[in-house]
Structure formats: structure tokens, C-alpha cells
Amino acid sequence: MTISRRNFLKVAGAAGGVLLAGGQKPAQAAVPDADPKGLEFYGMLIDTTKCIGCRSCEEACNEKNKLAKPDVSFSSETVFEKKRDTTPEAFTVVNKFPNPKDPEKPIFVRKQCMHCNQPACATACLVKALEKTPEGPVKYNKDRCMGCRYCMVSCPFDAPKYEYNSNMPYLKKCVFCFDKVKNGEQPACVEACPEGASFFGKRRELLEIARQRIYQNPDKYHPYIYGEHEAGGTSMLFLSSVPVEKLDLRMNVGNTSYPEKTTGFLYAVPHIFILWPTFLFGLSYLTHSKDKENGHGEE
Amino acid sequence: MEKNNTVAFPQAKSLTGADTVKGFFRFVLRELKPKGKILTPFNVISALIILGGLILIVIRFAYGLGSITNLSQDYPWGIWIGFDVVTGVAFAGGAYTLCFVVHILNFKKYEPILRATVLNGFLAYCFYAGALLLDLGRPWNVINPIIGNAFGYSSVLFLVAWHFLLYTFCQFVEIFPAVTEWLYWPKVRKYAKLCTTGAVIFGITLSTLHQSGLGALFMMASNKIHPLWYSGNIPILFFVSSVFAGLSMVIAESTISHRVFQDQISPSHHASFDDILLGMAKGALGALFAYFFLKVIDFVHGGHWALLNTPMGYWYLVEIIGGIVIPIVLFTIAILKNNVRLVQVTAIITALGVILNRLNISVIAFKWYSVNRYYPSWAEVWVTAAVICMEIWAFRWIVSRMPIMREHPAFPDEENAPHKETEVVQWKVSAS
């Protein structure tokens, strides 16, 4: 025998230790806490009962983010004929839905990035190009992005959009006017809203306001705040007069945060990094020690 | 055979340690020249495919991904990820499975095909990494997660990327002795061989994690994948299926290369080849069984009975019956009857089943509800074919020059000797 049991254990232990140190990193899964710096997330309450479909928010967003002018002007109502999704050139869009309660008054619903409390995209990003800020917005560091589009695969709301027709493409989505919010200002779309349908504030306060509105006007509001629990909670909160599934707000996203779906796997990584090599070393030692005995026998 | 080998390695003597650097480069340049007939049907067709692929790649980088692919805001990943990477990596699983069997379990029977399999795995990883770069919007930033410009530890993709990189390196270490034999560097070869066991153990661990990691990538897409395919066990399913995917690919691939490189194979290896294929069929059968039961448990726990009687349900049955149940039955018959031909046919069916499974998860059952379905464009398929052709060229170039299929006359196969000096030394080194 050229290896003693003690030596073997030493090697196995050292290998396990080194690999553990390497493998532990993913387990620290940097899921941002609700308020790591004692700050509270900002959010936006979108009261669809107040929205008149004027699309001021779209226009303000377009200007703020210096996006290409759309083919159809912002004052045109023809865009409501088809349901629209956000695009690399439109970070927020307003869609029109029939109102079962009052056919005269259609319901208008905004669509944009939901700025999840624990965003799937930020967890998915391997270069931290997408980051949940302590203020709440999920911002985009374009210089880091390598364009793998795993964020698009992961996002339960399909918020990130990609510039497929560019040779220097970026990811495009609403970043909640992070530069403005950081300085205590309101996002451009909220500033532009003439009806107060988009309402900016601390997420906790917005939830209180939303609940208050539901309690005070039980006939007007459907008693559900979309975004309170969806995907573990989002910064965008929606109130409506009808059940939200009629408004194309996704109900199949579940209430657990998306990063949690992969933590089980990531936490198993260091275990495998200890157990596998130890087991393999042991097994290899056992199967090969027979050879050596045979070899010695022949000698 | 001995005679053949000396002919095959005419440079063995000329490239001793005393040779100059200049001599080394002259030797490599000489080796770069193609051998054999150039204008064969395969060469002409594959050359045209590669040429066309290169033109398409230039267009892709000049005008963006949208210019030649059918990717959309709904389908950010197409077949360049779903087939080239997710399926290709599963097929490369044969390398770590065989390494486990030969180096760890010490089954020497499979040694003759080990080098070719590891080489295939290594080339597969190199070319998939290349194909991956085509799919990245800003490929030059791929360096960011490696040099530490903001590590996204929490990302499964971060884990997969690093393990991909490290495992490719491990495979290179595993195949490196063949390179040293080709260059006739006996001293380097001695040290290279010492690293093998470590590389194998590290490689198997990395493989376990990134094979299952590829499945874990889709865990955050839980609300986008059809419930018949989505499961919390995707990582385990991906890992187990990579075992039979890899073994089936090794069976299929070695069947072909045995025909193509017939002149390189020693008579003793020829005689044992059927036995090797049957043995691998047994391994694949075991993994298929395990996978089938995992699938059944997932299905029953998920309570998906009602979904079976839908179009997606029928498609699911095609995958389960065609890709798992039929291979299980056929492999069993083939093993019972020692029918090598049936093993080879079944291996191909199994491989098709794996392709189906990987494409289902990444493309077909992904956003199955979407109105704007994704179909690969002809250009995407062409580029994929070009990548495969390039890989075959690289494989052929290496096999016709290095001792992959055959043994180098100067380095007799000491692995098969009952008393192995190298193995003892390996243990001494790893213990100190």
C-alpha cells in the first residue's frame, strides 16, 4: 500500500475543503432583501378605475428614455384596436379592455416591468447587468450585459425586451426612472398622469392606500391588489373594478419569489462538491487497490 | 499492426527532446496538411455547408441576431441554445460516464474507446462554446463573468458557465497524454498522466453539476413550460438522461468511427468491440429505467392525468413512449440476444428521444400557449449543421494524427498490464 488511511482522509478532506470554498459562492445566493440599507422600496399604484387611456404616460416615457417616435402618434386611439406588448421602443403601453360593469367605460391597463421585490431577471443575470436597487427599481447596467437573454427566459412577466435587429444590442425595459427616483423625484410616467391613475410612493404606504380604497368603495373595486403577492410581491400594484385576469394581468405567476425556485439546486452544489469527490476517491481507491494486490502477487 | 503504427508516426523519432522550437513548428505545419483524398463527397458537401455557415455568421454579426434567426421577444432562446448547447452537452455526457467506468470503477474493457469519447466530449464543448458565442448579443462581454466584473453568484447560468469552462479544461487534461505522444514528449507525458485521476474526479463532479444545471436553468421559467414537462426535478432528470444520452451517442459515434477509421484499430480491439457496445447498452438501459421511474413519479405526483388527452399530451406520450419505453424494450431484447446491430439502432432511437426531450423543454413546450410560435429559420439550421461539420473535421484531423483510436508504438498500453507502475505513482502523488 502506498497510501495510508490517514493520508487518504487528509487528501479527501483537503479536496473537499477547497471545493467547498469554491462551491459555496452560489449558495450565498444574493437575493436582495426588502430593504438591505433600511430603505423601503418605492412602488407605483396603478388604479385602473381612474385611467382614461390618454397615453400621457407612454409619451412621457418615450421622451424620458429617448426612444424612437412611434409610427402612430400618441394622441391616436387606433392603437387600442389591438392588444399591445412592450417593445424595445416602448417601455410602457396602455391596453384597452371591455368593462363588463359599464360597457360605456372601457378599462385601460398599463403594462411595463413589474420591478419584483425579488426579481427573477436579476437573479438570472450572471454578470449582474440587472440589479434590484435598494430604492426598488430594477436597473440595467448595459456595459456589463453580454446578451445571453436568460433574464427574458426567467422573467415571469416577460418584461425584458431585446434589440434583435442591432449588431450592438441591449436589453430594453422600464427602469422605473431610476435616476429620478434616486433623487426623490417621481418617475416620468407618474408626473405625466393627469388623472392620478399612476401613483408613486413607498410600497408599504401604497398598499395601505389601495386597501383603503377597496374598503371605502366596495362596489367600485374588485377586492384584490395585483402585485401584492405575485411572484413574491412587485413594486407595481394594480387596482381594478373587475377580476384582474380579465385585464391580461398574469395569474399563473404564483406567489413565491422566482429566485427561490433555484435556491434548492444552488444550495446542493457545495454538498455535491464535497460528497462526490470524496466518494469517487474512495471508490477509485477500492477498485484499484485490487490491481495493486494482484500486481504484488505477481512480483 | 506494429508496422502500420510506425508508418503512422514517422515523426516519432525526429521529434525528440533535443529538437528545436523551429523543428516543432515545422512539424506542426507539416501535420496541418490534409491527409488522404481531398475531393470526397463528404468533404465537398461539408465544405459547402461550412462556407455557407461562415457567410451566415458574418451576416449575423453585421446586422444582429434578428437578421438570420427567428428569435423573438417571446422566444429569446432558439435552437442555437436548445439544440447546440442543451442537447449537445447531454450527448457529450458519454465522456464523464466512461471516465467514471474506466478510471474510477476500473473496468478496463472500455479503455479502447475512452480516448475517442473524451476527445469527442472535448471537441463538443469547444464547439458548443463557440456556437454559444454566436447566440450572445455582445459576445465580447462573455469575459465579464470569468474575470469577475460583477459575479452573479445567484445565477444558475453563472454556475453552468464556470463549470462548462472548468470541465472543458479537465477534458483537455484527460486527453493531453495523446497530444504528448503525438509530439513525442515522453517526459511531459509522464507528468500529464499523473494529473489524469484528479482531472477525472473533478470532471465528474463538474459534469454532475452542469448537466443538472442546464435543467435548473429552466426552473425560473416554471410558468412558461407546459406542466407535463416542468417539474422541480428537472435537474435530476437532466443529469440521469445525460448518462443514457451520452452512452447512446458513444455507441452511435464509435460505430461510425470504427468504420471510417478501420485501418487504425487493432485486431484485439476489433474483437472486443461488440462486447463493449453490449456493455454500454446495459449501462444505458439502467439509466433509462431510472429516468423512466423518475418521469412516472413526476407525472403521478403532478396529477397530470387530464392533460394527457390534449394535443400537448399526445406529444408528451410520443416523447415518453418513443424516447424511453421503446428504447428500454429494444435494449433489453438486444442484450438478451447479444444483438449488436439492434443495440446500434436502439442507440440512435434513444438519441432522437433525447433531442426531442431537450427541444421540448427549451423550445416546443416552452411558451406552448404562445400565438407566435418559434420555428428555427433555415439559416439557424444551416449554421448548426456547419458547426457539426467543423467538429467532425476537427475530430478527423486529430484522429488521423494522434494516437486516439490506435496505440503509439513508442508508448505501449501499460494500462492493460496487470501491474501498473503509473497507478501506484499517481496515488503517491495525490497522497503527498
Side-chain angles (χ1 to χ4, degrees):
Chain A
M1 290 256 293
T2 49
I3 176 170
S4 69
R5 182 182 302 173
R6 180 178 301 194
N7 271 342
F8 171 70
L9 290 175
K10 228 191 261 173
V11 173
V18 169
L19 294 171
L20 173 67
Q24 216 170 23
K25 284 166 188 166
Q28 290 164 353
V31 174
D33 287 316
D35 47 347
K37 288 179 192 162
L39 289 166
E40 259 187 84
F41 287 164
Y42 282 105
M44 200 189 293
L45 179 63
I46 297 170
D47 190 337
T48 59
T49 62
K50 294 193 175 184
C51 182
I52 53 167
C54 68
R55 299 175 65 212
S56 306
C57 49
E58 283 187 35
E59 192 169 6
C61 178
N62 190 291
E63 259 169 47
K64 169 72 181 67
N65 294 296
K66 299 189 182 73
L67 304 175
K69 286 269 168 277
D71 300 336
V72 186
S73 87
F74 286 112
S75 52
S76 168
E77 292 214 348
T78 52
V79 290
F80 292 128
E81 284 160 15
K82 264 199 302 197
K83 204 174 79 186
R84 293 181 301 156
D85 195 2
T86 56
T87 70
E89 295 302 336
F91 295 171
T92 184
V93 292
V94 180
N95 278 314
K96 184 168 136 180
F97 297 90
N99 188 348
K101 282 185 182 170
D102 183 0
E104 294 289 293
K105 278 179 134 184
I107 302 171
F108 296 97
V109 183
R110 270 182 67 187
K111 189 171 189 179
Q112 69 294 303
C113 171
M114 298 289 283
H115 299 280
C116 307
N117 290 354
Q118 293 186 44
C121 58
T123 309
C125 187
L126 70 167
V127 288
K128 287 194 180 160
L130 288 157
E131 229 176 329
K132 178 75 175 172
T133 59
E135 292 84 2
V138 178
K139 72 167 184 183
Y140 177 58
N141 304 307
K142 60 181 191 174
D143 297 330
R144 289 178 185 167
C145 179
M146 58 189 225
C148 69
R149 308 185 299 286
Y150 183 34
C151 50
M152 298 172 76
V153 172
S154 306
C155 174
F157 302 103
D158 289 315
K161 302 285 148 122
Y162 201 68
E163 294 181 315
Y164 284 107
N165 293 316
S166 161
N167 58 2
M168 302 281 267
Y170 287 118
L171 192 80
K172 291 297 195 90
K173 76 170 192 71
C174 154
V175 291
F176 210 122
C177 295
F178 177 62
D179 50 341
K180 298 187 85 183
V181 169
K182 203 171 57 183
N183 297 328
E185 290 173 59
Q186 299 189 334
C189 57
V190 175
E191 270 175 1
C193 185
E195 300 291 315
S198 302
F199 196 80
F200 176 76
K202 296 270 163 72
R203 187 174 182 270
R204 188 174 47 80
E205 291 165 8
L206 294 177
L207 278 170
E208 275 167 28
I209 293 169
R211 284 197 199 98
Q212 209 174 11
R213 286 187 188 177
I214 292 171
Y215 291 145
Q216 287 172 353
N217 304 289
D219 298 333
K220 190 178 171 193
Y221 289 101
H222 177 70
Y224 190 82
I225 306 168
Y226 186 85
E228 185 178 7
H229 300 298
E230 269 68 26
T234 64
S235 277
M236 297 292 167
L237 303 165
F238 287 84
L239 277 178
S240 80
S241 56
V242 297
V244 286
E245 50 267 39
K246 295 204 164 93
L247 306 177
D248 196 35
L249 293 169
R250 285 185 197 171
M251 293 305 288
N252 71 342
V253 293
N255 287 345
T256 49
S257 78
Y258 274 60
E260 266 175 46
K261 292 174 192 277
T262 54
T263 46
F265 173 76
L266 290 170
Y267 283 11
V269 170
H271 297 270
I272 290 176
F273 253 117
I274 300 171
L275 295 176
W276 246 140
T278 315
F279 172 71
L280 293 173
F281 262 114
L283 198 61
S284 161
Y285 174 66
L286 287 176
T287 54
H288 286 85
S289 61
K290 224 182 197 172
D291 287 352
K292 279 166 224 161
E293 279 163 29
N294 289 345
H296 285 302
E298 273 168 37
E299 276 176 353
Chain B
M1 207 59 219
E2 198 58 27
K3 211 173 168 188
N4 255 350
N5 278 340
T6 30
V7 173
F9 296 98
Q11 67 285 343
K13 293 273 145 40
S14 69
L15 247 192
T16 46
D19 234 18
T20 54
V21 177
K22 215 169 142 192
F24 169 70
F25 282 112
R26 206 177 298 145
F27 162 70
V28 172
L29 273 179
R30 188 175 358 122
E31 290 284 285
L32 279 173
K33 253 190 3 202
K35 282 183 179 178
K37 245 179 92 184
I38 293 175
L39 282 175
T40 60
F42 171 79
N43 280 358
V44 172
I45 294 169
S46 55
L48 287 175
I49 293 176
I50 291 173
L51 195 69
L54 292 176
I55 295 169
L56 289 170
I57 289 168
V58 170
I59 297 174
R60 174 255 169 275
F61 279 111
Y63 300 103
L65 275 168
S67 58
I68 66 163
T69 69
N70 277 352
L71 297 174
S72 65
Q73 306 297 353
D74 270 330
Y75 285 89
W77 286 356
I79 61 159
W80 284 358
I81 300 286
F83 183 78
D84 296 15
V85 179
V86 181
T87 313
V89 167
F91 283 152
Y96 82 87
T97 312
L98 267 191
C99 274
F100 176 71
V101 169
V102 173
H103 286 290
I104 306 294
L105 295 183
N106 203 11
F107 281 127
K108 299 215 172 70
K109 184 170 115 184
Y110 302 98
E111 191 126 26
I113 57 161
L114 184 64
R115 271 191 180 175
T117 307
V118 174
L119 174 66
N120 250 315
F122 173 68
L123 288 178
Y125 274 71
C126 291
F127 280 87
Y128 301 152
L132 196 63
L133 291 183
L134 300 180
D135 197 73
L136 292 180
R138 309 176 82 80
W140 50 92
N141 276 348
V142 77
I143 200 82
N144 279 350
I146 298 163
I147 60 168
N149 186 6
F151 278 169
Y153 301 132
S154 56
S155 172
V156 177
L157 195 58
F158 178 80
L159 175 119
V160 171
W162 262 95
H163 287 197
F164 214 86
L165 191 77
L166 292 174
Y167 182 56
T168 310
F169 182 68
C170 280
Q171 283 184 319
F172 180 72
V173 172
E174 285 164 22
I175 204 72
F176 192 62
V179 179
T180 60
E181 288 172 19
W182 170 62
L183 298 171
Y184 202 73
W185 289 346
K187 276 184 192 161
V188 182
R189 177 178 179 274
K190 208 173 102 192
Y191 292 108
K193 283 225 138 192
L194 297 181
C195 303
T196 308
T197 307
V200 164
I201 287 175
F202 196 43
I204 293 170
T205 310
L206 291 167
S207 287
T208 310
L209 287 168
H210 77 250
Q211 291 283 0
S212 49
L214 275 179
L217 281 182
F218 293 96
M219 294 183 89
M220 279 203 284
S222 57
N223 70 333
K224 296 180 189 173
I225 296 173
H226 192 279
L228 282 172
W229 281 273
Y230 182 79
S231 138
N233 295 329
I234 285 188
I236 297 165
L237 290 170
F238 263 55
F239 172 65
V240 175
S241 56
S242 77
V243 174
F244 62 78
L247 288 175
S248 311
M249 207 56 200
V250 175
I251 295 172
E253 172 271 316
S254 58
T255 303
I256 296 167
S257 45
H258 260 240
R259 221 162 273 171
V260 177
F261 302 105
Q262 210 161 19
D263 54 327
Q264 296 202 9
I265 291 151
S266 70
S268 64
H269 177 196
H270 247 314
S272 69
F273 185 57
D274 287 358
D275 200 27
I276 288 175
L277 290 193
L278 281 168
M280 284 195 292
K282 284 177 199 162
L285 180 62
L288 273 165
F289 257 120
Y291 183 78
F292 180 64
F293 284 120
L294 286 172
K295 276 292 216 191
V296 169
I297 289 168
D298 258 356
F299 178 79
V300 175
H301 278 196
H304 297 318
W305 294 101
L307 289 172
L308 270 192
N309 199 13
T310 62
M312 284 311 273
Y314 305 145
W315 185 238
Y316 176 77
L317 287 176
V318 169
E319 183 195 310
I320 299 294
I321 294 173
I324 306 169
V325 177
I326 290 178
I328 285 178
V329 172
L330 292 181
F331 268 138
T332 311
I333 296 171
I335 291 163
L336 288 176
K337 296 194 169 173
N338 277 340
N339 186 340
V340 176
R341 173 61 42 158
L342 188 57
V343 164
Q344 291 164 336
V345 171
T346 314
I348 289 166
I349 298 175
T350 314
L352 291 175
V354 174
I355 294 176
L356 194 59
N357 172 256
R358 296 301 202 260
L359 285 182
N360 270 333
I361 286 175
S362 58
V363 174
I364 300 168
F366 184 85
K367 292 247 182 117
W368 52 286
Y369 48 80
S370 174
V371 189
N372 312 310
R373 294 308 309 265
Y374 161 85
Y375 298 98
S377 67
W378 65 267
E380 283 175 276
V381 178
W382 189 298
V383 170
T384 298
V387 171
I388 295 171
C389 286
M390 284 190 250
E391 197 190 328
I392 294 173
W393 277 23
F395 183 75
R396 187 178 59 177
W397 187 87
I398 294 173
V399 167
S400 23
R401 281 157 186 83
M402 298 183 198
I404 302 291
M405 302 272 185
R406 60 198 149 165
E407 281 165 26
H408 195 289
F411 304 98
D413 184 7
E414 70 259 59
E415 312 282 328
N416 276 340
H419 176 53
K420 294 190 301 174
E421 196 65 37
T422 47
E423 206 66 35
V424 177
V425 173
Q426 269 179 29
W427 276 108
K428 260 187 195 157
V429 164
S430 48
S432 57

